Amino acid sequence: MTKTFTLLFLLLASVLRGAAQPGPGRPVAELGRVGVLPDRNYTWDQIRTDTALVFAPADSLRSAQARRYWLRLAVRNPSRYATAGQLTVLPNLDNTYYYFDEDARAWRTRRVGQAVPTDSQRVKGALLLPLPGQATTCYVLLRLGPGAAMPPAVRLRVRLVPAAEVRQTDTFYRTAWAVSLAALLLLLLTNLPTYLRFRDRSTLYYLCSQVGAALYVTAFRGYFRVLFPGPVFSQRVLPDGVSLSYTLNNVAMHLSVALMLLGFGQLTRAYLLTRTRLPRLDAALRYGLRGYFVFAGAVAVVNLSGFYLNQFTLLYENLWVLALFGLLLVIGMTAFHHRLPLARPYLLANVLPLTFILLMAGYNVVIGFTNRGDLLLPDLAILSHALGFSAAISIRFQALQQTLLSSEREAAALALDIERQELRHREIVLKNSHIQTALLALQQRQQAQAAHTQQLSADHHQQQTANHDLRQQLEANQRELASTTLYVQQKNALLAELKQQIQELNAQRPGQQNELAGIKSILQSSLHLDEDWVRFKLHFEQVHPRFFEELQAKYPALTSNEQRLYCYFHIHLATKEIAALLNIDPASVRRAKTRLFKKIAAADLAAGRTPAAAPPDGPAADE
């Protein structure tokens, strides 16, 4: 706020100082007769000494008659004191002044003008002429350059202004320029760190407009002519004698206007977010800016190529600028009407500078453009814009800070919620890990169980295969056992039949009883051979492994014949079959059976076992 008051104070002091400068008042000197002489390659000595050369009065110059003219000016100082004045001869394209220096008692020359690259004055073509306290005469060699666009006739004009008034005016506008430039530089340095910190687009375009404003006020005052007096790209002389040229000062002027329009337009778009909130006005502003840039660029290219076009395009450029800034004012008012955020500070910051800019553009359109830099409207517009938008940017940053603070709070709450969600997520992940571990263990158990089941299945299959093999072997052994039993039965039956026949023969032939007794003895011994029993026992043990070992261990008192009889009972042979195998009658088998099981029962009782039940002696057992 202190900086703002300081800048306003300096600006007010400059304005008051300009208001206090003296008016035109009484002229410092009087111009007498002006004589004109077309140049015919005269030398300076001829002009100064040859009285035969006639300087005729004229109010215009014709380029068809001559491209160079000599002028003789009679100047009278009504005061007896020496003074000075600023002499300007139009057209001032390329003029060489010859004047007498009373102090040095010698003639001096100086070449100035719009087309002179060495003329580094802020306003080209003027000469600071010393005026002694008497009448004096000076000469001017006026050149109508071949490179300038020239009308058929050019009005000749001579103007003499007091030097003190010129110095005072220059001091005033130099001060105004310095104040404007210092204010712009101060605001630029103030807002540049803000942009470097936040990278805000509004601040960037504000800085762009400030750079453009600094270039504009410098070019408007003509100080680029002082820094860069040349080169001169194109020239034109108007019928009223005013000489125009396109130099680096004009290039800087075009560039500065483009930068300011770019800064103002893009600042408005970024500040009010017109792309989304006011799309139609935003499109109009965008295309308007593009059109101006294309138009101004084309004009600058033509001027740089050697043809002076500013005279014809300056009106349209100012109208275009007038329309663009009017559009900016409409956008601000529309935004305020729609109650858009930050529309009020934007409109308040924009009203005063836009008013000054519109007045300046209107002045250029209605009255005409002057390149002498003798207007304060640019300074007022630039300073009001710089100060207003600096405050608007500050208000915007305060709003952004509040938004940022609320966003930070929301972010903190969101971060807390995210942290809670992460903790919940970790808990879920931990539970899932436990579940996965349990599932993995269960899966491993299931796999182990499946492997075990598969192994059991394989073992079962193998056992089934072994059982099948054993059953087949058992069936084979049983068939062999049955075959052996049948064979023994058939053999014993055959032997018994042979014994019966021998007995019958013995009864029929008593004389052969000795021979028949021997045969009978052989048959009787064959009935009791153990070879068949051994073979039977072998097959029986294949069907019933360890049967005789266990029987011997359980009933050690049993004889071999009793074990054999028990074996026959175990396989459920009938009494008649056992009688045939043992070659005894069935009654003897039943008696032997009774004695055997009594002996077994006694052994079981003695050993504390439950006595084994004897097989039944019913009819089935005798079959």
Side-chain angles (χ1 to χ4, degrees):
M1 188 61 69
T2 305
K3 297 176 183 178
T4 303
F5 282 124
T6 303
L7 291 174
L8 290 176
F9 175 77
L10 290 175
L11 179 61
L12 182 60
S14 301
V15 174
L16 291 177
R17 183 176 180 179
Q21 63 180 337
R26 195 164 67 98
V28 66
E30 297 176 356
L31 283 173
R33 181 184 176 190
V34 178
V36 179
L37 174 66
D39 183 38
R40 299 292 183 263
N41 294 323
Y42 300 126
T43 65
W44 164 238
D45 290 333
Q46 287 179 300
I47 295 297
R48 183 168 57 88
T49 59
D50 191 351
T51 58
L53 298 177
V54 179
F55 286 85
D59 58 356
S60 64
L61 305 176
R62 297 186 178 274
S63 58
Q65 182 181 1
R67 280 285 179 171
R68 293 160 44 123
Y69 288 89
W70 284 95
L71 275 66
R72 185 171 62 188
L73 306 177
V75 182
R76 189 178 68 85
N77 184 6
S79 174
R80 54 183 179 177
Y81 300 104
T83 184
Q86 186 185 65
L87 179 63
T88 304
V89 177
L90 301 179
N92 58 347
L93 198 64
D94 186 357
N95 298 338
T96 302
Y97 291 90
Y98 297 85
Y99 62 94
F100 188 77
D101 188 355
E102 292 290 341
D103 296 332
R105 304 301 298 173
W107 285 91
R108 304 287 188 187
T109 62
R110 185 178 179 188
R111 188 176 181 181
V112 295
Q114 296 288 340
V116 178
T118 57
D119 187 2
S120 59
Q121 299 180 92
R122 188 177 67 85
V123 180
K124 284 190 171 188
L127 171 68
L128 188 62
L129 180 66
L131 299 174
Q134 57 186 358
T136 184
T137 302
C138 65
Y139 296 88
V140 181
L141 176 59
L142 192 148
R143 299 178 182 85
L144 303 177
M150 189 82 58
V154 180
R155 181 184 174 187
L156 178 63
R157 298 164 59 188
V158 180
R159 184 171 59 228
L160 183 63
V161 181
E165 181 180 341
V166 173
R167 284 192 295 269
Q168 190 171 1
T169 302
D170 282 346
T171 302
F172 170 71
Y173 287 111
R174 188 183 301 113
T175 304
W177 169 76
V179 169
S180 301
L181 206 61
L184 292 173
L185 181 61
L186 181 61
L187 293 173
L188 184 68
L189 295 177
T190 302
N191 291 280
L192 182 60
T194 304
Y195 169 71
L196 294 177
R197 179 182 178 186
F198 296 102
R199 300 291 179 178
D200 180 62
R201 294 182 60 190
S202 299
T203 308
L204 174 63
Y205 293 125
Y206 172 75
L207 296 177
C208 177
S209 65
Q210 297 303 95
V211 173
L215 288 176
Y216 181 83
V217 73
T218 304
F220 183 77
R221 295 282 182 256
Y223 287 112
F224 284 112
R225 299 192 194 100
V226 179
L227 297 174
F228 309 103
V232 179
F233 299 103
S234 56
Q235 310 162 24
R236 176 174 291 274
V237 179
L238 302 181
D240 61 356
V242 176
S243 300
L244 303 174
S245 61
Y246 196 83
T247 62
L248 290 177
N249 191 81
N250 301 87
V251 174
M253 179 73 74
H254 273 115
L255 179 61
S256 64
V257 173
L259 285 176
M260 284 193 297
L261 285 175
L262 176 65
F264 292 161
Q266 296 297 337
L267 173 59
T268 300
R269 298 180 65 210
Y271 196 90
L272 296 176
L273 301 177
T274 56
R275 178 186 290 272
T276 56
R277 296 169 178 172
L278 301 172
R280 294 183 179 179
L281 291 175
D282 180 82
L285 177 61
R286 188 169 64 253
Y287 289 121
L289 289 174
R290 291 177 183 175
Y292 176 82
F293 295 151
V294 172
F295 178 74
V299 170
V301 169
V302 173
N303 283 310
L304 290 172
S305 65
F307 182 79
Y308 190 85
L309 195 62
N310 265 12
Q311 176 191 3
F312 308 103
T313 60
L314 197 58
L315 174 64
Y316 302 104
E317 285 190 57
N318 281 277
L319 286 174
W320 208 317
V321 172
L322 192 65
L324 286 175
F325 279 103
L327 179 59
L328 291 176
L329 191 58
V330 170
I331 290 175
M333 296 176 66
T334 305
F336 180 75
H337 176 71
H338 288 287
R339 301 183 182 277
L340 296 183
L342 300 176
R344 183 183 181 87
Y346 172 84
L347 189 60
L348 292 177
N350 225 3
V351 167
L352 191 59
L354 283 181
T355 302
F356 286 130
I357 292 173
L358 291 174
L359 287 175
M360 184 172 60
Y363 178 88
N364 292 334
V365 170
V366 177
I367 299 177
F369 178 78
T370 174
N371 60 352
R372 299 177 59 87
D374 52 358
L375 285 176
L376 277 178
L377 285 177
D379 303 270
L380 295 175
I382 288 170
L383 285 178
S384 59
H385 176 270
L387 293 174
F389 269 97
S390 179
I393 292 293
S394 177
I395 293 173
R396 184 172 185 270
F397 270 107
Q398 290 179 1
L400 288 178
Q401 286 177 353
Q402 293 178 357
T403 305
L404 181 61
L405 183 59
S406 61
S407 299
E408 288 178 352
R409 292 174 181 172
E410 293 178 359
L414 183 60
L416 182 60
D417 185 58
I418 291 174
E419 185 177 359
R420 292 175 180 172
Q421 294 295 333
E422 287 180 352
L423 291 176
R424 177 63 180 166
H425 177 69
R426 291 177 183 176
E427 182 180 356
I428 294 173
V429 168
L430 185 60
K431 289 182 178 179
N432 289 340
S433 177
H434 292 332
I435 293 173
Q436 288 178 356
T437 304
L439 290 176
L440 183 60
L442 180 60
Q443 186 178 4
Q444 290 176 352
R445 288 197 299 270
Q446 289 177 349
Q447 290 177 353
Q449 187 175 1
H452 181 65
T453 303
Q454 186 176 3
Q455 183 65 31
L456 290 178
S457 177
D459 293 344
H460 178 67
H461 179 70
Q462 185 177 3
Q463 187 68 28
Q464 284 181 343
T465 304
N467 291 339
H468 179 70
D469 295 340
L470 290 175
R471 281 196 298 269
Q472 289 181 348
Q473 184 67 28
L474 179 60
E475 290 175 358
N477 291 335
Q478 286 178 347
R479 286 194 298 271
E480 184 68 23
L481 181 60
S483 176
T484 303
T485 304
L486 180 61
Y487 169 75
V488 173
Q489 288 178 351
Q490 290 176 353
K491 186 198 74 167
N492 289 340
L494 179 60
L495 291 176
E497 184 178 358
L498 288 175
K499 183 179 177 183
Q500 183 67 30
Q501 290 178 1
I502 289 173
Q503 287 178 355
E504 290 177 357
L505 288 175
N506 191 20
Q508 294 175 2
R509 297 177 181 181
Q512 296 180 351
Q513 289 184 353
N514 291 333
E515 295 176 2
L516 293 174
I519 295 173
K520 184 178 180 181
S521 176
I522 293 171
L523 292 175
Q524 185 67 30
S525 61
S526 297
L527 288 172
H528 297 284
L529 287 177
D530 292 334
E531 181 181 356
D532 295 333
W533 165 246
V534 172
R535 187 169 58 179
F536 177 84
K537 184 177 181 181
L538 176 62
H539 290 296
F540 183 86
E541 285 185 340
Q542 289 180 352
V543 178
H544 304 284
R546 299 174 57 89
F547 176 80
F548 292 100
E549 293 181 8
E550 293 177 357
L551 184 61
Q552 180 67 30
K554 191 174 182 181
Y555 306 107
L558 296 180
T559 64
S560 58
N561 289 329
E562 291 175 340
Q563 290 180 358
R564 182 176 181 181
L565 183 62
Y566 187 85
C567 170
Y568 291 152
F569 288 141
H570 184 73
I571 61 175
H572 303 290
L573 293 180
T575 303
K576 292 181 179 180
E577 293 175 343
I578 296 174
L581 290 174
L582 296 179
N583 198 20
I584 59 176
D585 56 10
S588 299
V589 173
R590 285 193 287 272
R591 288 193 297 270
K593 176 182 179 182
T594 302
R595 289 193 299 269
L596 173 63
F597 279 96
K598 284 182 179 180
K599 191 174 182 179
I600 289 175
D604 287 336
L605 291 174
R609 296 189 296 267
T610 302
D617 294 333
D622 295 335
E623 293 179 358

